[in-house]
Amino acid sequence: MRVRVMAAAAIALAATAPAAAQDRMAPNAQFFSGANYTGRSLTVTREMPIFAATWAPRSVRMGGGSSWEVCEQRFFRGRCTVVTGSSSNLMAQLGVRGVGSVRQASGVPTPLPQPVPDRPGGQSLKGMAAEFFPAPEYGGRRIDACQREGGGAACITREADNFCKAAGYVRAKNGAAQTVGGRIYLADVLCSKWQ
């Protein structure tokens, strides 16, 4: 009788505190299709070179005190970010646009970002929460900006925001126009993961 009562109490405790129970488990990362740990979920307990979900994760909860490396492309290519704690809005907080592969980060060096086809970029200086593009490119070419509007400030601000969002950031903190050979190009764009 006593064993049944203890087993029932353990089941009730696990049902009422899944997050706390998850933190005591073996290292894992639980990805959710919605922000704030909602929607469909997939729990990863080992290296996954091809992310198995058919949906894009919007939040992740870490368990077992682990850190995980999340890469935008399969086989740990493209932009990779080490996630050290749970994130209720993975896309906005970390600048990750999608998840193509996942592996536990302990003892795994984070690879340098590789050029990603069909992703805006160019030469840049990348920090923890921002990236500076002196001459933003798309498909290897400078970005023509606001030709019809003569490089107006409002248009440049809008184009810089669009560039940063396409590159996986939340917004542009800076953007400028550069005229070269009579063409106006987007320049000096600072993309941020924060509002």
Side-chain angles (χ1 to χ4, degrees):
M1 177 75 167
R2 182 177 204 160
V3 174
R4 286 185 191 165
V5 170
M6 290 176 65
I11 291 170
L13 179 61
T16 59
Q22 185 179 12
D23 286 339
R24 291 190 298 269
M25 294 174 23
N28 66 79
Q30 186 176 17
F31 292 88
F32 295 86
S33 62
N36 299 312
Y37 320 112
T38 61
R40 294 178 285 175
S41 69
L42 172 69
T43 301
V44 177
T45 58
R46 59 184 164 75
E47 183 175 289
M48 190 175 284
I50 299 175
F51 191 68
T54 57
W55 37 267
R58 300 286 180 233
S59 55
V60 62
R61 181 177 285 141
M62 297 296 161
S66 60
S67 297
W68 291 78
E69 183 178 35
V70 177
C71 299
E72 286 185 329
Q73 293 184 7
R74 294 174 169 191
F75 303 105
F76 314 104
R77 299 187 65 199
R79 176 178 289 174
C80 296
T81 303
V82 174
V83 182
T84 57
S86 298
S87 175
S88 62
N89 192 334
L90 188 63
M91 306 302 167
Q93 292 176 352
L94 303 175
V96 176
R97 293 188 306 161
V99 176
S101 51
V102 177
R103 63 181 162 191
Q104 194 169 358
S106 58
V108 176
T110 301
L112 294 173
Q114 301 296 315
V116 180
D118 298 330
R119 177 186 171 264
Q123 291 185 350
S124 68
L125 177 62
K126 184 176 180 187
M128 288 177 28
E131 190 169 1
F132 176 70
F133 298 87
E137 299 177 351
Y138 188 78
R141 295 185 177 177
R142 293 283 306 269
I143 298 174
D144 285 341
C146 308
Q147 301 297 331
R148 293 183 196 158
E149 298 174 34
C155 181
I156 292 297
T157 299
R158 183 182 66 244
E159 290 300 317
D161 269 340
N162 289 340
F163 169 81
C164 289
K165 288 175 182 172
Y169 289 89
V170 174
R171 65 173 295 224
K173 293 282 188 177
N174 186 67
Q178 179 182 25
T179 303
V180 179
R183 302 283 306 166
I184 300 171
Y185 296 101
L186 196 57
D188 293 344
V189 175
L190 178 63
C191 298
S192 174
K193 294 179 181 179
W194 310 106
Q195 278 291 356

